[in-house]
Amino acid sequence: MAASNRNAQPRKIMVVADPTRESAGALQYALSHAVLEQDELILLHIENPSSWRNTISMFLKMPSLGSSTTASIDLGGGGGGPSTGDGEGAIDFLEEMKHACRVSQPKVRVRAFRVEMDGKDRASNILSQTKTLGIDVLVIGQKRSLSSALLGYKRPAGGSMKGVKAIDTAEYLIQNSPCTCVAVQRKGNNGGYVLNTKTQRNFWLLA
């Protein structure tokens, strides 16, 4: 799937971007298995200023397609907005993600967006952006609990996520996204991925 196909129609692939291990795993999957040279990769971060706590930092190695070169990602969230240089060690995780994309897929056009929550829940904001931007494939990191894996997904009445704590955002997007949605669980640095879509559940993909 990651092999170049010059005759394919260009697509818009969106990755939900957050300073989390799950989001980094989703981006790794997109770069190594989903994005082709002619595609456009869009990083979307839904900002909720009240949800930010301490800076989240991690170090990951991201393989560059077609070579053994690696790009390092250091994801940090210092307050929801771009780094201004005021805080010592402040990191703009979206810029780190964009840099990793350029190293791994230098021919792919990459854009990044920050969108503030406008009163709707996070999943509804993501769905709205997929429609506005004409997204073809949506990729989101997923951290599934044992209960959600056993009980599966149940759509809330009225199609809203509000007031429903047990619903997994990724599962909601899988069921309601107008485009193909892939939920990604990264299994260690070399353990591959577990993918969930509307038609495939718990599909194992080697790294």
Side-chain angles (χ1 to χ4, degrees):
M1 189 173 181
S4 175
N5 186 344
R6 299 182 184 279
N7 295 323
Q9 292 296 318
R11 301 167 301 163
K12 289 184 177 181
I13 298 177
M14 176 186 284
V15 176
V16 179
D18 294 298
T20 63
R21 187 176 301 277
E22 289 77 27
S23 183
L27 181 58
Q28 286 179 316
Y29 161 78
L31 290 172
S32 58
H33 294 281
V35 178
L36 302 176
E37 287 183 0
Q38 66 270 18
D39 294 336
E40 179 180 9
L41 180 60
I42 297 173
L43 307 177
L44 174 71
H45 175 59
I46 303 296
E47 287 190 328
N48 184 4
S50 64
S51 71
W52 288 93
R53 296 294 182 264
N54 296 326
T55 297
I56 304 171
S57 298
M58 76 178 92
F59 181 83
L60 294 173
K61 285 186 176 181
M62 180 166 292
S64 177
L65 297 183
S67 74
S68 59
T69 305
T70 59
S72 300
I73 305 180
D74 189 2
L75 305 182
S83 172
T84 60
D86 295 333
E88 190 173 336
I91 298 170
D92 186 336
F93 72 91
L94 273 181
E95 286 302 319
E96 290 293 325
M97 285 183 155
K98 285 175 67 177
H99 172 71
C101 292
R102 295 188 189 103
V103 173
S104 180
Q105 289 274 29
K107 294 183 179 180
V108 172
R109 181 186 178 194
V110 180
R111 289 192 291 164
F113 293 95
R114 279 187 168 90
V115 177
E116 290 189 4
M117 293 183 69
D118 56 1
K120 296 183 292 187
D121 56 77
R122 183 168 181 263
S124 296
N125 275 279
I126 295 171
L127 284 181
S128 177
Q129 291 300 314
T130 62
K131 296 173 183 176
T132 299
L133 298 171
I135 299 302
D136 298 293
V137 180
L138 173 65
V139 181
I140 182 171
Q142 184 176 35
K143 183 177 181 180
R144 301 192 71 191
S145 64
L146 180 61
S147 59
S148 66
L150 293 175
L151 299 177
Y153 167 84
K154 293 182 179 179
R155 181 174 178 174
S160 174
M161 290 278 288
K162 286 186 176 180
V164 183
K165 296 181 180 179
I167 298 300
D168 182 271
T169 298
E171 291 290 345
Y172 180 86
L173 293 171
I174 287 172
Q175 297 298 324
N176 294 278
S177 175
C179 62
T180 299
C181 178
V182 183
V184 179
Q185 299 173 62
R186 186 78 163 97
K187 297 299 182 182
N189 287 337
N190 298 308
Y193 308 88
V194 174
L195 310 178
N196 285 288
T197 68
K198 208 167 192 177
T199 58
Q200 289 184 311
R201 310 300 299 181
N202 297 317
F203 178 78
W204 189 279
L205 180 66
L206 295 177

